[in-house]
Amino acid sequence: MADQFFITRAVLTGTGAYLPEQILTNEDMAKRVDTSDEWIVERTGIKQRHFAGPHETTAFMGAQAGRQALEKAGLAPESLGAIIVATSTPDQMFPATAVRIQAALGANNAFGFDLSAACSGFVYGLSVADAMLRAGQVKNVLVIGSEVFSRLLNFEDRATCVLFGDGAGAVLLEAREVEKSGPGLLSTHLYADGALGDILYVDCGTDDNRTPGHLVMHGREVFRHAVNLLAGAVNDALAENNLTAAAIDLLVPHQANKRIIDGVGKKLGLPAERVVITVQKHANTSAASIPLALAEAVQDGRAVPGKLLLLEALGGGLTWGSALLRL
Ligand code: COA
């Protein structure tokens, strides 16, 4: 039977992006803290970042990116089944940012929830959406990464405040019956190590004795773990699909630091033109960074139907993960 050659997969049918209007260059940051363009570029590759204005909330930006993804896919908001928002900077503790976005989009038939996995949030979101789609729970899911890290930055700490920016990216995933060699999410791999929770965290929450509202990072420790853990996540993705790195058309990594991205690219033996890099323009936008990079690669024609994309991220938790996606 021909049927046996078909499989249900989560197929990407639209991407969207939103970046705040305000851009701060490294020179602008040097007016606020004791730093320099040279130091920031050499250690991170970052040249500028976008900072959200008062109206550019996580929900606002997520809705802009989400609406664009729906339009690209040609799906009416009322036909949407679910919205997952990966964010560590929700507008409020509750209601979830996802339901604010549901209302903004007029996606009246969708349910929605937020997912907190720091910079790995988008890969975690893809994984959850993939399971929902393959189980037949919904026909489509809008996965959004949206963050306003500028509101968590400690401008007394030059080692962290220069690293982050704001923005939102979105993808629409739709359940489709496809051939095994066809498009869709081929696999996702998720990992966590809570014992490393104190090397990257935000010091506000609902437990006692917290000074509200700042991101704290032990950068060297994070760096030390990043390349090896990410390489493991990537190798697991390749092994499960009986692929070698040579099959990857584009690496779309979390954009935290160009040295980490280069380290993973080197381990995979990928030439620079097969690695999508946006960190120089966006800095680290946490859960928004992969969908922003993906939207850019779609927009500029690098990510076209048939291409095999490898996504990977690591962030607070520690959490990390990978996803293999054929367009
Ligand atoms: N400008 C100028 N100097 C700075 C600075 C800044 N913005 N931030 C720190 N420094 C100084 C430090 O004070 C220190 O000076 P000292 O030697 O006189 O004490 C020196 O630079 C080295 O500091 P250190 O923190 O050890 O730098 P580093 O080489 O580890 O680089 C990071 C810092 C953050 C760039 C690096 O650790 C890193 O990229 N880590 C991974 C971070 C990351 O990607 N996290 C997100 C994961 S989702």
Side-chain angles (χ1 to χ4, degrees):
M1 271 175 37
D3 278 357
Q4 70 198 15
F5 298 109
F6 285 83
I7 184 169
T8 305
R9 283 225 187 98
V11 175
L12 185 146
T13 56
T15 54
Y18 181 87
L19 288 159
E21 285 158 31
Q22 189 192 10
I23 294 175
L24 280 95
T25 62
N26 290 346
E27 285 81 8
D28 294 327
M29 296 304 285
K31 289 178 198 149
R32 295 181 77 165
V33 290
D34 181 14
T35 189
S36 66
D37 177 55
E38 191 188 3
W39 191 95
I40 301 170
V41 171
E42 189 185 302
R43 306 285 171 122
T44 70
I46 295 165
K47 296 195 171 104
Q48 63 170 49
R49 71 286 291 140
H50 293 248
F51 275 5
H55 72 290
E56 290 168 316
T57 65
T58 299
F60 173 86
M61 296 194 298
Q64 300 285 327
R67 189 174 294 114
Q68 205 179 87
L70 291 177
E71 282 168 7
K72 292 256 173 70
L75 191 85
E78 56 272 21
S79 301
L80 191 58
I83 303 171
I84 299 175
V85 178
T87 187
S88 300
T89 50
D91 291 359
Q92 296 160 284
M93 288 283 191
F94 75 84
T97 312
V99 299
R100 297 287 189 201
I101 292 175
Q102 182 234 22
L105 295 176
N108 303 331
N109 297 305
F111 63 90
F113 57 93
D114 291 0
L115 186 156
S116 169
C119 297
S120 313
F122 184 73
V123 173
Y124 269 60
L126 285 183
S127 187
V128 174
D130 182 41
M132 286 161 56
L133 289 165
R134 285 189 295 110
Q137 188 181 8
V138 282
K139 291 191 177 126
N140 50 57
V141 184
L142 188 59
V143 184
I144 298 172
S146 186
E147 304 275 21
V148 283
F149 265 57
S150 64
R151 295 189 186 140
L152 291 178
L153 296 177
N154 177 2
F155 286 93
E156 307 281 302
D157 178 11
R158 64 179 179 169
T160 55
C161 70
V162 300
L163 303 178
F164 294 87
D166 304 334
V171 300
L172 184 72
L173 296 175
E174 300 190 57
R176 293 266 164 87
E177 297 295 308
V178 298
E179 287 182 45
K180 278 197 172 167
S181 59
L185 268 170
L186 306 188
S187 66
T188 59
H189 286 79
L190 305 181
Y191 313 82
D193 184 353
L196 295 172
D198 289 337
I199 66 172
L200 176 53
Y201 62 96
V202 176
D203 61 0
C204 68
T206 53
D207 62 353
D208 291 340
N209 301 321
R210 302 237 174 202
T211 42
H214 286 149
L215 179 143
V216 183
M217 180 170 70
H218 302 283
R220 288 223 163 164
E221 279 298 292
V222 176
F223 198 98
R224 199 165 66 79
H225 291 287
V227 177
N228 285 339
L229 293 177
L230 286 169
V234 161
N235 288 335
D236 287 349
L238 293 173
E240 182 171 319
N241 294 282
N242 293 317
L243 293 169
T244 64
I248 301 165
D249 293 308
L250 273 184
L251 177 67
V252 189
H254 168 49
Q255 308 284 322
N257 183 310
K258 189 165 181 302
R259 287 190 299 155
I260 296 175
I261 297 172
D262 288 346
V264 175
K266 202 169 154 196
K267 274 195 186 260
L268 289 169
L270 290 179
E273 63 272 18
R274 285 205 263 153
V275 183
V276 180
I277 299 188
T278 52
V279 70
Q280 74 282 10
K281 294 186 292 185
H282 304 165
N284 183 347
T285 57
S286 192
S289 90
I290 290 180
L292 276 169
L294 188 52
E296 179 167 306
V298 168
Q299 189 69 28
D300 67 22
R302 275 178 294 172
V304 291
K307 295 280 184 197
L308 183 66
L309 274 46
L310 178 61
L311 284 45
E312 46 87 340
L314 174 136
L318 287 186
T319 55
W320 66 102
S322 61
L324 258 180
L325 170 70
R326 192 174 296 284
L327 293 181

